[in-house]
Amino acid sequence: MRTDPDVFLMGEDVSGGAGCDGEDDAFGGAFGQYKGLVKEFGRERIIDTPITESAFIGAAGGAAATGMRPIVDLMFVDFIGVCFDQIFNQMAKFRYMFGGKSRCPAVIRFSAGGGFSAAGQHSQAMYQVMTSFPGLKVVVPSNAYDAKGLLLSAIQDDDPVLFFEPKVLYQETAEVPDEMYTIPFGQANFVREGDDVTVVAFGQMVPKAAAAIDALAAEGISCDLIDPRTTSPLDEAAILESVRATGRLVVVDEAPPRCGLTADIAGLAADKAFSSLKGPIKQVCAPHSPTPFSPELEAAYIPNADKITAAIKATLA
Amino acid sequence: MSISKESLLHAYRTMKTIREFEERVHAEIMNGQIPGFTHLYTGQEANAVGVCAHLDESDTIISTHRGHGHCIAKGADVSGMMKELFGSSEGLCKGKGGSMHVADIDKGILGANGIVAGGPPISVGSALAAKIRKNGKVAVSFSGDGSVNQGTCFEAMNMAVVLQVPAVFVIENNYYSEHTHIDYAVGCNDLKARTEAFGFPVFVADGADFFAVHEAAGKAIAHARAGNGPAGVFAEQGRYHGHFVGDPQAYRGEGELENLRENHDPLKVFRQHMATSGELSEGELDAIDAEVMAEIEQSVVDAKAAARPTPEQVTADVYIQYGATA
Ligand SMILES: Cc1ncc(C[n+]2csc(CCOP(=O)(O)OP(=O)(O)O)c2C)c(N)n1
Ligand SMILES: [Mg+2]
């Protein structure tokens, strides 16, 4: 925002305090992501909206199509239902339907995923759904360092980018440099390197998979852990290269199984690396159900390190 | 409209039940006993109770994320609600929904709702069912001053007029949507007029005063029940707690909360009315207070002792029947 006057932020309570008698910077986003921004950039560029997602997400598409670089915050991705059309029918397709003559450099930020006992309408991942739409780029960082580099790439990108922030990871810390740096889209990160099994994990599953893999080292099992970082574009080459080397694949995501990323990556490997496979591909994901409220139920719902460990061992059995 | 002594006792008991339920839930959240995101209705009790006084079990309500008060006012099982908030499998929703989805379907409660303005369209459907069946039922949707800016709310209001269904839109103005004031978020300066422009009457009440809400809601519900199409209620009332439990409330002006608690407390206002009219004595009201305190205490004891859900319950109740059908 300091270097590009076309960048602005819009959403519900991204500042907070609009029209109120108290403090102006009263909130700063549902997880404090934007705290302090209104002090530096003012309400001209840090825009609180009414609860009216179709209008402000759609307006981001319109502002982007006319030269701005809006960042809009949808708070919880679950709210995408009320503004879905503006995302997948409008901004995703402008460029293609207009014969390549328009650009829509909008970034939509969402908190996503489970882990807060927030029940069925505040816990969904949804990035797997959005990955299915051509025209949208989809980013799912798994740590603060990547989040910064990917977010700066997203803001500079000329296509619409959906930026999913696994909300349980807000409380994790990482070393993050002050200077500007970008992480390119479509470039997976090898979080661990090993010989026996390829593990591909997304978002909040990445640290869980790393924990499982680290514990397995004691048993002499070593794994590649691939964090694709962006699900669209997807670094297919990195995944296939690893699968060809290990011959075994486990894919981990927190979303339910049908038409999801675990099936997507399993399909990729079955299609393009079949002859390298030495065992069945294993998918670790949530069951085909909404996210339950009760902590015991949610703990059983979201994949954990034990389930990942069992899947890794199953590919070796 | 004169209100029977029995109804007065019931109204006070219900408001007090909501108050004590919410205050206890607040305490239990602070103790780490209740998980998830919780929004409290404290300060707004008169609105839910004044509206629901006109409903029977087969009329429906649909609520919001701030749903405990509406549910209690419509007769939800308080112990089952507390168990639900604690995440027990004995809760009203078997621990699947929690605070934001608490519902008691048998009591005509179509649930709290995690999506702002998710309720009004559903309520229009309930009203349409009543119209088709000609059963004289009404469907009430509660929604906040923030929710009225949502497209689903506009669409529901217009459709209710077009179809002339017995839908009652209760707009609860607690001045804030999260941390944003209504004066900012509602672009026009007359929300009543904006709502009436859809084509139905809106009755305004002081939402801290049970009697005022009772009167306004009575008119709106009678209008809808008589087959005259939808109606609205617009009531102002303060919420005492933050948007959610844990909200630092930096947006509040100085003395604002103190003023609400001092001068706009539905329980105090009710007691003042009773002191003037003499219909209920202080002793009668104090006795209710004590009974309610005991009931809420018992509900917490029961919730803490209630069964916990087990992993195989995760996939139960996704469907009624699933798999290949014969
Ligand atoms: C579609 C959608 N957008 C945003 C939210 C986040 N949210 C939850 S409650 C709320 C404020 C609602 O304000 P209001 O309607 O006035 O109800 P109140 O909280 O004051 O009872 C917001 C923005 C949501 N749950 N659903
Ligand atoms: Mg409000």
Side-chain angles (χ1 to χ4, degrees):
Chain A
M1 291 191 70
R2 285 188 195 121
T3 58
D4 185 348
D6 289 339
V7 179
F8 67 95
L9 171 70
M10 183 161 66
E12 292 158 20
D13 288 303
V14 291
S15 162
C20 301
D21 292 338
E23 245 176 69
D24 217 23
D25 191 14
F27 202 46
F31 297 89
Q33 313 94 304
Y34 310 113
K35 192 80 185 161
L37 290 184
V38 74
K39 290 211 168 97
E40 179 168 353
F41 300 107
R43 288 199 174 271
E44 292 271 294
R45 295 177 73 197
I46 306 295
I47 304 171
D48 279 343
T49 68
I51 307 172
T52 185
E53 287 86 3
S54 273
F56 76 76
I57 297 287
T66 50
M68 302 296 285
R69 289 191 180 274
I71 303 164
V72 277
D73 176 89
L74 193 67
M75 209 179 309
F76 289 79
V77 68
D78 313 69
F79 308 159
I80 204 168
V82 293
C83 53
F84 203 35
D85 179 70
Q86 291 295 333
I87 300 173
F88 87 99
N89 259 333
Q90 310 298 339
M91 50 175 90
K93 294 172 183 160
F94 287 162
R95 184 168 182 83
Y96 188 79
M97 296 191 305
F98 302 154
K101 289 182 181 156
S102 74
R103 52 186 71 206
C104 185
V107 179
I108 311 181
R109 292 180 63 170
F110 317 91
S111 76
F116 276 88
S117 262
Q121 295 174 344
H122 285 75
S123 303
Q124 296 164 96
M126 293 301 288
Y127 46 75
Q128 83 283 10
V129 176
M130 303 316 292
T131 301
S132 74
F133 293 109
L136 300 174
K137 292 179 179 171
V138 180
V139 185
V140 191
S142 69
N143 61 76
Y145 176 88
D146 285 0
K148 176 171 174 177
L150 291 164
L151 184 58
L152 290 172
S153 291
I155 296 166
Q156 289 166 15
D157 201 283
D158 282 337
D159 288 310
V161 179
L162 309 188
F163 198 88
F164 289 82
E165 304 169 20
K167 57 175 112 44
V168 286
L169 300 181
Y170 284 132
Q171 54 216 10
E172 301 298 323
T173 52
E175 200 59 51
V176 180
D178 285 336
E179 56 269 18
M180 302 275 268
Y181 61 94
T182 55
I183 295 174
F185 290 175
Q187 201 175 97
N189 183 28
F190 279 75
V191 182
R192 296 286 185 277
E193 291 189 32
D195 304 320
D196 302 319
V197 180
T198 299
V199 179
V200 179
F202 299 91
Q204 68 152 310
M205 292 296 115
V206 174
K208 292 191 182 188
I213 289 168
D214 292 346
L216 282 170
E219 299 178 36
I221 299 170
S222 79
C223 303
D224 269 350
L225 172 55
I226 300 177
D227 172 3
R229 299 197 284 210
T230 59
T231 63
S232 184
L234 177 71
D235 190 349
E236 297 189 2
I239 295 168
L240 291 171
E241 183 200 330
S242 172
V243 172
R244 288 190 184 116
T246 64
R248 303 179 201 277
L249 175 62
V250 173
V251 198
V252 190
D253 189 32
E254 67 170 300
R258 300 301 309 279
C259 302
L261 286 167
T262 61
D264 187 66
I265 307 292
L268 173 75
D271 185 10
K272 299 199 175 141
F274 186 77
S275 56
S276 307
L277 289 171
K278 297 181 206 154
I281 299 167
K282 286 290 167 193
Q283 303 179 50
V284 184
C285 49
H288 184 63
S289 112
T291 313
F293 161 71
S294 195
E296 290 95 325
L297 293 175
E298 193 182 30
Y301 179 84
I302 300 178
N304 56 22
D306 286 347
K307 286 181 186 160
I308 299 167
T309 304
I312 293 170
K313 287 188 171 171
T315 64
L316 291 162
Chain B
M1 193 189 305
S2 89
I3 304 174
S4 71
K5 180 164 182 177
E6 192 192 336
S7 299
L8 289 174
L9 287 167
H10 180 73
Y12 182 78
R13 178 184 296 276
T14 310
M15 288 198 292
K16 183 69 179 172
T17 304
I18 297 170
R19 172 67 53 88
E20 291 311 321
F21 186 91
E22 297 295 61
E23 291 302 343
R24 188 60 188 266
V25 165
H26 185 257
E28 296 297 332
I29 291 169
M30 292 313 192
N31 290 337
Q33 296 282 314
I34 292 178
F37 300 141
T38 314
H39 311 81
L40 301 177
Y41 196 66
T42 320
Q44 305 186 222
E45 297 88 347
N47 199 46
V49 176
V51 170
C52 291
H54 300 282
L55 305 178
D56 68 26
E57 252 179 32
S58 53
D59 295 316
T60 63
I61 65 162
I62 194 156
S63 175
T64 68
H65 56 286
R66 198 176 302 289
H68 309 161
H70 306 138
C71 292
I72 292 172
K74 188 65 170 46
D77 166 24
V78 170
S79 175
M81 277 180 66
M82 193 63 90
K83 286 176 183 158
E84 183 61 29
L85 266 60
F86 273 78
S88 160
S89 52
E90 294 173 30
L92 275 177
C93 307
K94 301 183 190 167
K96 297 285 181 61
S99 168
M100 271 193 292
H101 307 289
V102 67
D104 197 342
I105 298 296
D106 296 339
K107 300 279 168 55
I109 300 167
L110 297 176
N113 202 307
I115 300 298
V116 168
I122 300 169
S123 198
V124 169
S126 172
L128 178 60
K131 186 188 175 198
I132 291 169
R133 291 180 165 165
K134 298 188 175 58
N135 59 14
K137 300 302 169 199
V138 297
V140 173
S141 62
F142 289 95
S143 42
D145 53 282
S147 79
V148 296
N149 298 317
Q150 187 70 286
T152 46
C153 194
F154 291 154
E155 292 176 29
M157 286 176 172
N158 183 57
M159 180 162 147
V161 173
V162 170
L163 302 185
Q164 286 292 297
V165 295
V168 176
F169 299 97
V170 178
I171 301 169
E172 303 188 306
N173 177 14
N174 60 12
Y175 317 113
Y176 297 97
S177 48
E178 288 192 348
H179 319 266
T180 297
H181 201 271
I182 182 173
D183 289 350
Y184 173 81
V186 171
C188 76
N189 57 15
D190 189 345
L191 184 55
K192 175 185 189 291
R194 190 182 90 175
T195 310
E196 284 190 322
F198 280 99
F200 57 85
V202 174
F203 301 92
V204 177
D206 171 359
D209 182 353
F210 165 79
F211 294 94
V213 176
H214 188 271
E215 189 183 334
K219 288 178 189 159
I221 290 168
H223 174 95
R225 222 188 268 291
N228 300 315
V233 177
F234 182 61
E236 286 186 21
Q237 74 258 233
R239 62 163 153 78
Y240 289 178
H241 289 285
H243 169 59
F244 52 85
V245 176
D247 172 8
Q249 306 195 69
Y251 47 84
R252 297 257 193 209
E254 211 176 309
E256 185 181 327
L257 273 175
E258 294 72 14
N259 175 47
L260 283 177
R261 284 184 187 267
E262 194 48 41
N263 302 315
H264 302 278
D265 177 343
L267 294 168
K268 279 190 197 159
V269 172
F270 188 95
R271 276 178 173 261
Q272 280 155 10
H273 277 294
M274 290 302 98
T276 313
S277 74
E279 287 164 282
L280 299 179
S281 72
E282 234 173 272
E284 284 171 304
L285 296 168
D286 290 347
I288 290 176
D289 285 358
E291 284 167 30
V292 167
M293 298 293 272
E295 185 197 4
I296 297 299
E297 172 60 26
Q298 190 60 46
S299 77
V300 172
V301 170
D302 292 347
K304 287 182 177 168
R308 303 303 303 177
T310 49
E312 71 279 3
Q313 290 167 11
V314 168
T315 51
D317 295 323
V318 181
Y319 302 93
I320 293 165
Q321 196 274 337
Y322 195 53
T325 40

